Amino acid sequence: MQVKKRLRINSIVSLITVLIIILVLSLTLHRINQANNTAKVAGDIVLNSFEKVTLRNDYLRNNNERAKIQWFAAYEKISGILKTASENFHTAEDKKTIDVLLENNESIRKIFTAIVENREKTKSNPEAAVISQEVEDRLLSQWNRKVYDEALYGRELLASSGKERASIIWQAGVGIACLFLVLLGAVIVHSWTMGRIITDRIFRLRDGVSVIGGGALDYRIDIKGDDEFAELSDAFNEMAVKLRGSDNYLRNEIAERKQTEEEVKKLARHLQLSLDVSNMGWWHYDPITRISSWDDGYKKIFGVAGHTRPNDEILTHIIHPEDLPGLWSKVEASLDPVAPRPFAAEYRINRPDGAMRWIEAHGIASFAGEGDKRTATSLVGTVQDITERKHADEALRKAHDELEIRVQQRTKELRELNETLEQRVAERTAELQAANTMLLDSRRAALNMMEDALVARRRAEEVGEELALANRELDAFSYAVSNDLRAPLRTIEGFTTAIIEDFAVSLDQTAKDYFNRVVSASRRMSQLIDAMLSMARLTRGELMERAVNLSDLAEVAAYELGKKYPERLVESVIAKGIKVRGDIDMLRVVMENLMDNAWKFTGGHEQARIEFGMTKEEISHIGLIGPIYFVRDDGAGFDMDYADKLFEPFKRLHSEAEFPGIGIGLATVYKIISKHGGKIWAESVPEKGASFYFTLK
């Protein structure tokens, strides 16, 4: 039976009991009202008795006719009351008293009437006054006894009505107390039974959620029935099944992505090897941002330092002034969206070491959009040093010129030495043809190598596009998985919150605490899902290198933490002007996580000190020489025996109660530093703080 139905039955039983109590109270009030009516009747009888005595005395002493009339009116009034009094009194004794009062009242009327008649006779016959006075005295004596009896009977009725009212109130109190005790017993028994059922199921739910939350995704919570706990159990089991499927899928995707990355790296190495063998360099030009990028072969050919960043100013100084206008016109022609031409040019450069070299360049432009919106997005190509070939061509031209001169000089001699000259010319011609053949073969080989390099480059671009498509599909899958995983979590949290809000009165504090733990576990699992997806998206993105001021990022992180925890006394010591090259968004995540980590683990100290800086000292056991960047604190620290677990996802060296968290921050930092070609490690002594060191390529 569902908890809601049990609680509804409990409410219905309570409502019925309350209705019965109300009914009992209504009946009691009705009976009390009747008892009050009887008491009023009894009181009227007593008061009427005294009123008749007063009116009689007034009549006898003053011969007041008005008093006589009022006396008869009082008689009629009490007669009416006595005739209807039997409706208010229910006991046989009370009814008998009413009958006696009726007879007594009639007797009193007759006596008073006799007194009145006797007085009337006295008025008409004064001689009989003495006899009339004796008669009147006897009648008054009888009348007094009757009136006294009437008053006594009235008091008896008044006392009887008071007892009846007290009896009614006592009976009603006992009945209500009994009903309340029955209701209290039923509620206690029902609540105890429900408490046992709910507590047992909550324990089983808690244990199951703890097992699943610990990573045992194949575990299933076994709660049978048709109540809300069975629904929660089914929801947790369904969530575990989806988590298992998602985990397997993500593992396969990561393995496939690593394999694809290895293939791309292999193709890149082959391409670079081909370029090195052919003494060629690779370049890329972005017409939108006007930013160029070169490989090491390009820099070697142009004689620039390896750390030099490509830009138009460097090219303008290196390219021969006479060749520069024609070169740029060919670049613009190759970027024409309407009728693009393949980029091909030969030009001279003046290297920084003073040498003049001939360069042959080829390139292909890429476009995006259609029609009027078609625009060039990139220009990619190769360069080759053809100085030696140019020298060979120049030598060949000079040789050809010298040959012409010698032919002219020897024309005369040819006439004389025709046969000898023809033989020598033939020999020289054969040598010249052989040289031309060798030169043509060399140029064909170079062109073939350039074509191979371009094919390899296109293949690398295709692989890159396939990798980008796979990343987009993985993003779409991550979004779908995120929604599918959050749906059962929202169901769990919604049902649990509804139970806490709707049945708060029926649940004891222990049950509420267990339900709150279920809600907390659901929210923590949602945070874990968000953290996993965030880490996957962050480490999958491409590096956008630029100049980054780590000192500024550290100061911003410290300022935000100070606003978030204004009660903390933390001294932030941040070295100024520490600049690196890297992706600013990723490095911001690194500094925020390291600074937040330091703030969190110094939370147990009243005063704390957090330092960010750089050192160029050699770290002996790492084998690195600066620059090495660090974030240092004087907080809780950790045991170095477990340092290898610091950067693993969801691995924590402290309990949730000591320092809250989900164990994803340092894992994210590790992946970002690795993506930048750097290293990260930590050194610590328990309760003496920790130092996190990292390098960047």
Side-chain angles (χ1 to χ4, degrees):
M1 184 183 295
Q2 293 187 346
V3 175
K4 185 183 294 183
K5 188 177 294 184
R6 293 177 184 272
L7 293 174
R8 188 178 296 116
I9 292 173
N10 194 14
S11 300
I12 291 172
V13 172
S14 301
L15 180 61
I16 292 173
T17 306
V18 171
L19 291 175
I20 292 173
I21 292 174
I22 293 173
L23 180 60
V24 171
L25 286 173
S26 299
L27 292 174
T28 302
L29 290 174
H30 177 69
R31 293 185 63 190
I32 290 173
N33 188 43
Q34 287 182 339
N36 289 334
N37 289 334
T38 58
K40 184 176 182 302
V41 170
D44 290 342
I45 293 171
V46 175
L47 290 175
N48 187 267
S49 299
F50 290 107
E51 183 181 4
K52 287 190 292 185
V53 172
T54 303
L55 293 173
R56 183 209 67 180
N57 292 335
D58 188 19
Y59 172 72
L60 293 177
R61 292 173 183 170
N62 303 317
N63 287 322
N64 189 345
E65 289 295 325
R66 183 177 179 182
K68 179 183 73 173
I69 296 171
Q70 290 177 346
W71 189 95
F72 281 107
Y75 162 77
E76 294 296 335
K77 178 180 177 182
I78 197 62
S79 296
I81 292 173
L82 290 173
K83 289 178 181 179
T84 60
S86 59
E87 297 176 359
N88 296 319
F89 293 92
H90 305 288
T91 64
E93 184 178 353
D94 291 340
K95 289 182 179 295
K96 182 178 179 181
T97 303
I98 294 296
D99 294 338
V100 172
L101 283 171
L102 282 170
E103 295 176 359
N104 192 69
N105 188 55
E106 183 62 26
S107 300
I108 291 172
R109 183 191 66 78
K110 291 178 180 180
I111 295 171
F112 187 74
T113 302
I115 292 172
V116 172
E117 291 176 352
N118 182 58
R119 285 224 167 188
E120 292 295 331
K121 291 178 182 180
T122 303
K123 289 180 182 180
S124 60
N125 188 8
E127 296 177 354
V130 176
I131 298 173
S132 297
Q133 184 63 40
E134 292 178 358
V135 172
E136 183 176 321
D137 290 339
R138 288 197 298 272
L139 291 173
L140 285 174
S141 177
Q142 295 175 6
W143 191 86
N144 287 333
R145 286 198 302 273
K146 293 294 185 180
V147 170
Y148 180 74
D149 292 339
E150 185 180 50
L152 289 177
Y153 289 136
R155 289 181 179 274
E156 289 180 2
L157 290 176
L158 188 61
S160 176
S161 63
K163 291 180 180 180
E164 182 179 3
R165 180 170 56 187
S167 175
I168 291 170
I169 294 174
W170 184 83
Q171 291 174 2
V174 171
I176 292 172
C178 292
L179 287 173
F180 180 76
L181 291 175
V182 170
L183 174 62
L184 181 62
V187 170
I188 291 174
V189 171
H190 192 266
S191 300
W192 179 78
T193 304
M194 284 189 61
R196 286 194 60 189
I197 295 173
I198 293 175
T199 302
D200 177 65
R201 290 177 174 256
I202 289 175
F203 279 140
R204 294 168 67 184
L205 269 177
R206 181 202 62 186
D207 296 339
V209 170
S210 298
V211 173
I212 294 175
L217 299 179
D218 294 327
Y219 180 79
R220 299 293 178 266
I221 303 173
D222 184 19
I223 297 180
K224 305 297 183 183
D226 60 348
D227 58 2
E228 292 85 348
F229 297 100
E231 294 176 0
L232 283 174
S233 172
D234 294 339
F236 274 114
N237 292 335
E238 181 182 356
M239 179 191 64
V241 171
K242 290 184 178 181
L243 281 174
R244 170 55 68 192
S246 301
D247 182 68
N248 294 334
Y249 184 85
L250 287 174
R251 290 179 185 274
N252 294 334
E253 283 294 326
I254 292 172
E256 292 177 1
R257 188 193 305 168
K258 288 183 177 179
Q259 184 177 358
T260 304
E261 290 177 352
E262 289 297 327
E263 293 179 356
V264 171
K265 291 179 180 179
K266 185 177 180 181
L267 287 174
R269 288 195 297 270
H270 290 171
L271 174 61
Q272 189 62 47
L273 182 61
S274 300
L275 294 174
D276 293 342
V277 170
S278 60
N279 193 24
M280 299 174 69
W282 170 89
W283 55 271
H284 172 271
Y285 175 70
D286 189 335
I288 298 175
T289 61
R290 302 185 67 85
I291 295 176
S292 301
S293 57
W294 308 333
D295 71 343
D296 293 339
Y298 190 106
K299 295 177 182 178
K300 180 179 179 182
I301 292 173
F302 276 68
V304 297
H307 63 274
T308 303
R309 298 291 295 175
N311 55 64
D312 293 348
E313 184 178 355
I314 294 177
L315 292 176
T316 302
H317 283 85
I318 292 179
I319 297 175
H320 198 284
E322 296 178 0
D323 298 338
L324 188 61
L327 178 64
W328 281 116
S329 64
K330 290 181 180 180
V331 170
E332 293 174 355
S334 65
L335 297 174
D336 185 1
V338 179
R341 299 177 183 177
F343 175 72
E346 292 183 0
Y347 55 92
R348 292 164 291 173
I349 63 171
N350 295 315
R351 291 175 29 146
D353 59 3
M356 193 277 288
R357 309 294 292 181
W358 276 93
I359 304 298
E360 182 180 40
H362 295 271
I364 298 175
S366 299
F367 298 88
E370 298 292 338
D372 296 338
K373 296 182 178 180
R374 177 178 169 88
T375 57
T377 58
S378 66
L379 181 62
V380 180
T382 60
V383 294
Q384 184 178 21
D385 188 343
I386 59 171
T387 304
E388 301 301 328
R389 191 176 73 194
K390 281 289 186 179
H391 289 170
D393 289 344
E394 182 66 21
L396 182 61
R397 187 184 62 78
K398 289 181 179 180
H400 185 269
D401 293 343
E402 290 177 359
L403 180 60
E404 289 292 332
I405 294 173
R406 293 179 66 181
V407 169
Q408 291 176 2
Q409 291 176 351
R410 298 228 177 178
T411 300
K412 286 181 169 184
E413 297 177 4
L414 182 61
R415 296 188 183 100
E416 299 174 358
L417 302 172
N418 187 38
E419 295 180 357
T420 304
L421 183 58
E422 287 180 353
Q423 182 178 1
R424 293 180 64 185
V425 169
E427 292 175 354
R428 188 62 178 171
T429 301
E431 293 176 357
L432 185 60
Q433 290 176 346
N436 284 332
T437 301
M438 291 178 62
L439 181 60
L440 290 174
D441 290 342
S442 174
R443 297 185 66 177
R444 290 193 189 98
L447 290 174
N448 289 335
M449 293 178 68
M450 290 174 61
E451 290 177 356
D452 292 341
L454 291 174
V455 170
R457 177 61 186 173
R458 293 191 192 101
R459 176 55 184 162
E461 292 177 349
E462 291 174 356
V463 172
E465 292 175 355
E466 292 174 357
L467 182 59
L469 178 60
N471 285 333
R472 289 194 296 271
E473 292 176 351
L474 184 59
D475 286 338
F477 170 76
S478 298
Y479 178 80
V481 167
S482 175
N483 288 338
D484 291 342
L485 293 179
R486 287 193 180 93
L489 288 175
R490 287 194 294 269
T491 301
I492 294 167
E493 184 175 352
F495 273 116
T496 307
T497 304
I499 291 174
I500 295 173
E501 294 177 351
D502 295 342
F503 310 121
V505 177
S506 302
L507 298 175
D508 58 11
Q509 187 59 39
T510 302
K512 292 178 182 178
D513 182 62
Y514 292 154
F515 275 120
N516 288 328
R517 291 187 184 181
V518 172
V519 173
S520 177
S522 301
R523 292 174 180 169
R524 178 174 174 78
M525 190 165 293
S526 179
Q527 293 174 357
L528 290 174
I529 293 169
D530 290 339
M532 291 173 61
L533 296 176
S534 176
M535 184 174 69
R537 286 194 296 268
L538 184 64
T539 56
R540 190 168 61 248
E542 295 183 358
L543 286 176
M544 302 296 291
E545 288 191 1
R546 55 177 290 187
V548 180
N549 192 322
L550 290 182
S551 299
D552 291 347
L553 296 181
E555 288 180 352
V556 171
Y559 174 76
E560 293 296 334
L561 288 168
K563 289 178 60 180
K564 186 176 181 181
Y565 304 103
E567 72 281 1
R568 294 281 309 277
L569 297 177
V570 178
E571 178 188 7
S572 297
V573 181
I574 299 174
K576 303 293 184 180
I578 299 179
K579 297 181 179 180
V580 298
R581 293 202 64 81
D583 190 300
I584 186 170
D585 293 329
M586 293 187 181
L587 293 178
R588 181 182 292 108
V589 173
V590 169
M591 295 310 302
E592 287 176 351
N593 276 282
L594 291 178
M595 294 295 288
D596 183 78
N597 197 63
W599 273 70
K600 177 168 64 176
F601 287 97
T602 56
H605 296 179
E606 293 183 358
Q607 293 184 344
R609 186 178 191 272
I610 298 174
E611 180 182 3
F612 166 72
M614 180 185 71
T615 179
K616 293 187 178 180
E617 297 178 0
E618 181 178 0
I619 306 298
S620 59
H621 66 283
I622 301 296
L624 296 174
I625 300 177
I628 298 173
Y629 314 97
F630 64 86
V631 175
R632 182 180 295 127
D633 63 74
D634 58 352
F638 59 88
D639 191 345
M640 287 296 292
D641 292 339
Y642 304 102
D644 57 339
K645 296 182 178 180
L646 273 177
F647 304 103
E648 294 182 14
F650 310 115
K651 295 296 181 63
R652 293 171 49 81
L653 303 186
H654 299 82
S655 66
E656 180 73 14
E658 291 179 304
F659 301 101
I662 58 176
I664 202 69
L666 290 180
T668 303
V669 171
Y670 177 83
K671 287 186 173 292
I672 293 174
I673 296 299
S674 299
K675 197 174 185 69
H676 281 74
K679 293 184 178 181
I680 183 169
W681 67 96
E683 297 179 356
S684 175
V685 176
E687 294 304 322
K688 292 186 178 180
S691 298
F692 285 83
Y693 300 90
F694 64 93
T695 64
L696 298 172
K697 183 176 180 181

